[in-house]
Amino acid sequence: MHFNVPALTRAQQTILGMLLVVGLIAIGLVIATPAAAQEQPPFEVDLATTYRVGTDSQTQVEHRFIITNTTPTQYLTEYGLRVHFSDLSQVQVLSGAQQLEFSLLPDEASTEIRIVFPDQIVGQNNQREFAIRYTTGTIATAAGKVLEVQIPQIRSNESYSQNSILLYTPLQYGRATRVTPDPSTVVVQDQEILTTFSEDATESISALFGEQQIFNLTLRYNLENNSSNPGLAQIALPPDTSYQRMHYHSLEPYAQEIKVDEDGNWIATYALAPHSATTVHLTASVRVSLEPQSNIPVIPPGAQHTEPKRYWDSDHSRIKKLAAEHNSLRASYDFVVSQLQYDYTSLNQNGITQRLGSVGALDRPELAVCQEFTDVFIALARAQGVSARRLTGFAYTENATQRPVNFDQDVLHAWPEYYDTELNVWKQVDPTWEHTTGGIDYFDQFDLNHIVFAINGESSTAPYPAGSYKTDENDSKDIEIGFADTFPNPAFLAAANIVPYEVFGRAVPGRYIVRIENQTGLAWYDQRLELQTTTDSTVEPRSITVSQLLPYQTVEIPVQIIDTQLTAWQFQTPSTLKYQLHSPNDESALLEDSFEITAGHRYFKTISEDSVALLLGGLIIFGTFGTGGLLVFRQQRKRTLRR
């Protein structure tokens, strides 16, 4: 903003010419004055902004200004407003019914609207009123059943005498499920919901309409074994977490084994013949929720979640000093958001970049992408003794500037989470997106856009997420994601059988393996297995809780059936074993059956396996492993997290 002051001396004009009003980034106004400026600014600015979100996610924005002269000699000739959107359309500048001329100066993440006023409004307490209108697709995202509205932070609030915000959203999405800051009022007007914010609004506004989001996934894992030995490959399948529930529609081919690791990853193991390759196809649905799901157990942190690791240099003197200076999680998070600068040029490099780690990112803050924001936060958290780890996966976005992404090459997103000891839950945060969105709060609240493919806690690099499993001959796009209307809710379906426990190929009397196979694509938790015999023999254990039964997983439970009435020369006697599988807090059986078995002598309860082999025939087998032994290998990775 420039000031014209008629009939003043050249020296006075020089001083007044130094006064400049500069538009803010993210819809704020900054008035810059020289150090020797008068105590009262030459103008008072009132701003009222209206955001009207349409059903097509386009938002009509109006910034209405009233600028009051506080001196009798100074007046406004130019004005520049910089907004945190680069996709403006249908731009207008109006003074009453008169359209004013303007110019647009866009850059990577924002646009400056520059206005030159054709007239002069002079005199103390006289006012200039004008409105800037435009349409943008950046503010709102309507995806699936969820509407998300993100209005960047209004900075330099001291420039405004009054500052009010009105947000109109379609009635079909209802009232906001979660909104920050707290609104002043929420009312229904015709076919819209009107949410108003106070006249001194200073924070970014984040409003979420909907409690859950449902996605469909198609993932491909390309595996190869280039050696002359048999090989094992392990891949990380998307797991259940406190905030996401998985349902697998198909997994082809089936894995030899699926198990849970210490971070809660679902690890599938495949056997590959020498010089062979295969592609694992997974189709699934995922339901992402705002609140933790109580039916999914939380794996608490261990000592490894506060230890220094590669890329998480929590024991480095520089990290320890910063952790002491920013001695809370929130302070450390804010430091990361403000200290690092997102490197947008990385989006044009096919996702290939060197991971700097926490200290390296502080040395080169201008080269940060999602993994650097994540690594620095985790290092600072661990230096404070807080359990923290890295999540890698998919994050839905429709704006690559505010939420950077390049999915053409399966480049994924990384974000951290920390363990909240008061709530006993892992909490996700995203310093990268808070930085790139201009201050949208991703610490106190999260969204429904993030899907976890893999969790890195015990290790800072493994397991690798879907999209990382490439081969020299296969560089295809391996991640496809879309929205879904419903989440499958199949009934529990499983099969069970009992097989003898063998030592060196010989069955041990009274020892058995109960196998339970999950025939659904859902994981089931805390199933209670009850066992009993129809004779006087005893069974151990009589009751056991199956803490997790993963999709298509088979769990094996060793049991012993002992008949204490057998004489020293009786190895076994016929018996019947009955089992029942119950869901938590439910006495009715989900699965039940009985099997004819043999109860064993009590000697078989305590003797070693070698002794069992001697008793059953004196067969001792010594195994050797030579050049034909089993080779465990890791698939080649050609992509690095870049977002």
Side-chain angles (χ1 to χ4, degrees), residues 282-468:
L282 172 67
T283 61
S285 296
V286 55
R287 183 182 64 208
V288 182
S289 303
L290 284 179
E291 301 298 332
Q293 302 175 70
S294 59
N295 62 321
I296 299 177
V298 176
I299 299 178
Q304 70 273 19
H305 293 113
T306 55
E307 294 172 350
K309 303 284 184 182
R310 182 186 181 192
Y311 303 120
W312 303 332
D313 309 289
S314 56
D315 58 347
H316 192 281
S317 59
R318 187 174 180 186
I319 296 294
K320 292 166 70 175
K321 180 181 178 182
L322 287 170
E325 293 173 355
H326 308 278
N327 59 356
S328 71
L329 276 183
R330 183 59 196 244
S332 296
Y333 175 89
D334 290 340
F335 169 79
V336 173
V337 171
S338 62
Q339 181 70 17
L340 303 185
Q341 296 299 315
Y342 193 89
D343 180 17
Y344 284 93
T345 62
S346 65
L347 297 180
N348 301 318
Q349 299 174 0
N350 293 328
I352 301 175
T353 186
Q354 179 184 2
R355 185 174 174 184
L356 301 178
S358 56
V359 174
L362 294 172
D363 289 336
R364 300 294 303 275
E366 75 282 1
L367 297 181
V369 292
C370 65
Q371 59 193 6
E372 280 69 47
F373 282 84
T374 299
D375 288 343
V376 176
F377 176 81
I378 292 174
L380 291 173
R382 291 191 172 202
Q384 295 173 11
V386 178
S387 297
R389 58 191 187 182
R390 181 175 82 147
L391 305 178
T392 57
F394 172 88
Y396 177 78
T397 179
E398 288 187 348
N399 187 301
T401 299
Q402 285 206 337
R403 300 174 179 86
V405 60
N406 177 1
F407 283 124
D408 291 339
Q409 299 294 328
D410 292 336
V411 181
L412 302 177
H413 189 45
W415 64 100
E417 68 175 2
Y418 69 92
Y419 191 75
D420 188 321
T421 55
E422 292 184 2
L423 299 177
N424 294 320
V425 68
W426 291 94
K427 295 191 69 173
Q428 305 176 67
V429 297
D430 195 338
T432 309
W433 277 14
E434 178 145 348
H435 171 81
T436 57
T437 56
I440 298 300
D441 185 4
Y442 278 92
F443 185 86
D444 292 315
Q445 64 179 23
F446 214 61
D447 62 16
L448 296 170
N449 297 324
H450 292 64
I451 304 173
V452 178
F453 286 173
I455 306 168
N456 300 153
E458 184 177 11
S459 165
S460 63
T461 57
Y464 305 123
S468 302

Side-chain angles (χ1 to χ4, degrees), residues 52 167-176 185-196 209:
R52 178 166 264 111
L167 172 62
Y168 290 88
T169 52
L171 182 61
Q172 69 189 61
Y173 293 103
R175 295 171 180 255
T185 61
V186 180
V187 297
V188 178
Q189 288 190 356
D190 297 327
Q191 295 301 305
E192 293 178 307
I193 299 287
L194 170 59
T195 306
T196 64
F209 301 80

Side-chain angles (χ1 to χ4, degrees), residues 501 511-515 531 540-541 544 556-560:
Y501 175 79
R511 290 192 185 183
Y512 289 87
I513 301 293
V514 177
R515 290 177 176 166
L531 299 170
E540 295 182 1
I544 187 171
E556 296 188 346
I557 303 167
V559 297
Q560 279 192 327

Side-chain angles (χ1 to χ4, degrees), residues 496-498 575-579 593-597:
N497 65 350
I498 296 179
S575 183
T576 301
L577 180 67
K578 181 180 180 180
Y579 76 87
D593 204 346
S594 59
F595 294 89
E596 298 303 317
I597 51 93

Side-chain angles (χ1 to χ4, degrees), residues 565-585:
Q565 304 302 315
L566 291 176
T567 66
W569 303 106
Q570 292 178 301
F571 277 1
Q572 59 192 22
T573 186
S575 183
T576 301
L577 180 67
K578 181 180 180 180
Y579 76 87
Q580 289 186 332
L581 190 66
H582 300 264
S583 61
N585 304 317

